[in-house]
């Protein structure tokens, strides 16, 4: 196992999303699609996005978990979100 995967071993394969009126608008299919696309980004990018958006960890907390710098976490997060945006925009085009 690589050093990044050990932190996500105990995390469910389903996103930890609390159901709210806003989140209920997004269908299960859309959530599953988004979750799968995040996982396809590969490590550590997917780990960073999962920690940020599903577990609400700060860049400093993520950097400590992944044994990297806050700058690296922020840069990887920015790049991963840009990739994910392109993927989602391409899906919308169909």
């Amino acid at each position: 196992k690589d050093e990044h995967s050990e932190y996500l071993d105990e995390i469910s394969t389903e996103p930890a999303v609390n159901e709210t009126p806003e989140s209920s608008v997004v269908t299960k299919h859309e959530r599953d699609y988004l979750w799968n696309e995040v996982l396809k980004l590969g490590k550590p990018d997917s780990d960073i996005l999962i920690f940020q958006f599903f577990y609400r960890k700060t860049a400093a907390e993520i950097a400590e978990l992944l044994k990297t710098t806050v700058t690296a976490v922020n840069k990887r997060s920015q790049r991963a979100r840009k990739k994910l945006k392109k993927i989602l925009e391409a899906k919308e085009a169909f």
Side-chain angles (χ1 to χ4, degrees):
K1 286 186 178 183
D2 68 23
E3 66 186 52
H4 303 295
S5 66
E6 68 186 55
Y7 299 105
L8 293 179
D9 284 345
E10 297 176 12
I11 295 175
S12 168
T13 57
E14 291 294 319
V17 176
N18 294 327
E19 199 66 31
T20 65
E22 295 82 9
S23 67
S24 66
V25 173
V26 178
T27 67
K28 180 176 176 3
H29 175 74
E30 290 168 325
R31 285 194 308 262
D32 290 347
Y33 177 80
L34 179 59
W35 181 254
N36 288 326
E37 293 304 318
V38 168
L39 293 177
K40 286 180 189 176
L41 292 173
K43 295 185 179 286
D45 296 351
S46 60
D47 293 352
I48 291 169
L49 292 183
I50 290 167
F51 282 131
Q52 280 183 319
F53 296 104
F54 292 103
Y55 293 93
R56 306 226 188 269
K57 299 278 187 197
T58 65
E61 292 169 324
I62 297 167
E64 186 176 328
L65 287 169
L66 300 181
K67 297 181 183 8
T68 189
T69 65
V70 172
T71 303
V73 168
N74 287 330
K75 194 62 165 175
R76 283 191 166 277
S77 174
Q78 181 184 20
R79 288 180 186 156
R81 285 181 284 127
K82 193 174 187 178
K83 287 180 198 174
L84 195 56
K85 181 180 178 183
K86 284 183 181 181
I87 291 166
L88 296 176
E89 286 175 345
K91 181 183 185 255
E92 292 296 317
F94 288 97

